Amino acid sequence: MRIGIIGVGNVGHALGDYLMQEHKIIGIDDLDIQAAFPVYKDYDELRSADAVFICLPSPFDEETNSLDNSLIENAVREIVKVNMYAPIYIKSTVNIGFTRKVANDLRIDRLYYTPEFLRQSSAYEDIRNPDRSVIGTLKDDPEDLHVVTYLSLFNTKKRFVMNYEEAEAVKLFSNTYLAMRIAFFNELDTYSEVNNLDSNKIIKAVCADKRIGDYYNKPSYGYGGYCLPKDSMELMNEYNAPQKLIEATLASNEVRKEHVANSILDKIKGDDDALVGIYGIPNKYSPLIDVINKLKAHKVNMLVYSPNRDIKNFNGIKVTDKLSVFIVDTSIILSDQELPEEFKHLEKVYLK
């Protein structure tokens, strides 16, 4: 098959690398992307495609309080102009009702919603061995040829065919549950810290219960990443039924980051020479960024360590590439990543 992939980011790249083993891949992206398959900028390259996947971002628009699906809708419209027959599979996160609206507006019956459930750190492995395949269709027909074709591409026995809205809901509820689970164990950790208890011991014993499971239970600065915050906010903002749990999950994440910042402020209270160290430059979706901003609001002196000598400043904070200086000069060290062995014995490490 000739398969088009629009958007060669984390998802599209992993998808293309997987499918190219047995199919010809045609990538489409506005950026100059280096990939193992050809990537073009012109949708005309899709004229001969037998199927097209859309893997474009859908950022949360704070002005409209909703996901911005404009890139995805524009992509569908461009595909329809150049290719009259290929099924179109949307893998991007969208709000509930989006796929049906576009299908109705364009009067097409070859549009499908096929959410992805990838972890950023293991996207290719998750594509290769997915937990399940979900496909939302116009007619909720498991015998649909394009449904059968899609399911044949992926190695999974758990297959779910449903209507558009149900498939869209699966994605939003899945990510919101993961956010809720992270928030739960963060609150357990907060309680333990306030009451001088060992949260690791409590978590291990709690998670020994098979109904709970020993996974997704590591305390952190909060849930972050590209997907969980925006997807949980999207579900909250379009929820039209009684609820409290989703609202509480969003609030809990903010409470957690506030608690971490206040805990650090308490640890350095009265020390005018205190210097808070940040090991490694957090990515822009890290909850540690919010903690750093809260500390900046209290005019806390900070120092970032990065082995990259070309980076001198991060978010208004000085950056050093001298690890020994960083370890000696800082009063407390924050990090959202694994630390080298020389940090393991340091009591001043506040690792979440």
Side-chain angles (χ1 to χ4, degrees):
M1 287 176 63
R2 295 176 297 266
I3 299 177
I5 297 178
I6 302 178
V8 189
N10 192 48
V11 175
H13 215 139
L15 180 64
D17 286 345
Y18 170 70
L19 293 176
M20 68 178 290
Q21 297 174 61
E22 296 185 9
H23 306 280
K24 180 180 178 180
I25 305 302
I26 306 163
I28 301 292
D29 203 293
D30 288 338
L31 302 176
D32 294 322
I33 303 292
Q34 298 296 319
F37 49 88
V39 180
Y40 308 95
K41 295 185 179 181
D42 193 339
Y43 277 80
D44 281 340
E45 299 291 341
L46 299 175
R47 287 186 183 278
S48 62
D50 300 304
V52 181
F53 285 85
I54 296 177
C55 306
L56 292 167
S58 54
F60 191 82
D61 187 333
E62 295 187 358
E63 289 188 9
T64 62
N65 233 19
S66 182
L67 296 177
D68 180 357
N69 299 319
S70 58
L71 289 177
I72 301 155
E73 182 171 354
N74 290 340
V76 176
R77 292 180 180 277
E78 291 300 319
I79 296 165
V80 170
K81 288 178 185 177
V82 300
N83 190 311
M84 298 176 59
Y85 305 105
I88 303 167
Y89 303 111
I90 298 175
K91 297 201 77 65
S92 311
T93 304
V94 299
N95 51 22
I96 298 173
F98 169 80
T99 312
R100 187 175 301 278
K101 178 181 181 301
V102 174
N104 289 341
D105 286 350
L106 298 180
R107 298 181 181 179
I108 55 175
D109 60 1
R110 53 190 173 103
L111 185 63
Y112 301 85
Y113 183 65
T114 58
E116 53 82 12
F117 305 98
L118 309 183
R119 295 164 294 177
Q120 191 168 359
S121 60
S122 56
Y124 179 78
E125 180 60 29
D126 291 342
I127 284 278
R128 194 168 69 89
N129 293 302
D131 293 326
R132 75 280 205 195
S133 287
V134 175
I135 182 164
T137 76
L138 182 66
K139 301 175 182 177
D140 194 359
D141 178 11
E143 303 302 320
D144 181 327
L145 176 61
H146 296 322
V147 171
V148 174
T149 298
Y150 174 82
L151 295 176
S152 71
L153 294 172
F154 300 98
N155 178 34
T156 177
K157 294 180 180 179
K158 295 181 179 179
R159 300 172 171 183
F160 303 92
V161 180
M162 54 192 71
N163 68 32
Y164 289 145
E165 291 78 12
E166 289 161 346
E168 291 161 343
V170 167
K171 179 58 185 287
L172 294 180
F173 274 99
S174 293
N175 277 351
T176 301
Y177 172 78
L178 294 176
M180 179 190 69
R181 186 173 172 102
I182 293 170
F184 175 86
F185 285 105
N186 280 343
E187 290 206 356
L188 185 159
D189 184 68
T190 296
Y191 176 86
S192 300
E193 186 175 354
V194 169
N195 291 280
N196 198 29
L197 305 175
D198 188 332
S199 64
N200 289 326
K201 292 180 180 178
I202 298 172
I203 289 171
K204 285 181 180 178
V206 167
C207 293
D209 188 324
K210 293 180 181 178
R211 297 169 298 177
I212 296 171
D214 188 15
Y215 60 91
Y216 237 76
N217 54 7
K218 184 179 179 181
S220 63
Y221 296 104
Y223 61 79
Y226 178 69
C227 293
L228 299 194
K230 74 181 182 71
D231 291 3
S232 53
M233 285 191 292
E234 174 62 33
L235 184 59
M236 169 67 194
N237 290 325
E238 65 175 77
Y239 210 92
N240 60 357
Q243 67 82 24
K244 280 294 182 184
L245 193 55
I246 299 168
E247 182 180 353
T249 297
L250 295 171
S252 175
N253 203 40
E254 296 308 310
V255 169
R256 172 63 171 181
K257 289 181 282 191
E258 193 70 38
H259 164 75
V260 171
N262 288 336
S263 180
I264 295 164
L265 290 172
D266 286 342
K267 291 178 186 297
I268 63 174
K269 189 174 182 180
D271 184 358
D272 293 337
D273 297 322
L275 183 64
V276 173
I278 313 295
Y279 180 85
I281 294 180
N283 73 61
K284 63 182 180 179
Y285 301 118
S286 171
L288 180 54
I289 296 289
D290 290 333
V291 174
I292 291 170
N293 288 336
K294 292 178 187 296
L295 295 176
K296 284 182 67 177
H298 287 271
K299 304 191 183 307
V300 173
N301 292 320
M302 287 181 274
L303 177 67
V304 175
Y305 167 75
S306 171
N308 188 337
R309 295 184 177 183
D310 295 331
I311 302 176
K312 304 299 182 184
N313 183 285
F314 169 72
N315 202 17
I317 305 169
K318 181 182 176 182
V319 177
T320 180
D321 64 335
K322 296 177 174 59
L323 185 59
S324 58
V325 171
F326 176 80
I327 293 175
V328 171
D329 288 357
T330 53
S331 311
I332 185 170
I333 296 172
L334 312 181
S335 179
D336 59 358
Q337 55 192 264
E338 286 296 321
L339 294 172
E341 194 63 36
E342 54 261 48
F343 285 84
K344 299 296 173 67
H345 68 283
L346 297 177
E347 293 184 1
K348 62 182 177 181
V349 172
Y350 191 85
L351 183 63
K352 294 294 180 187

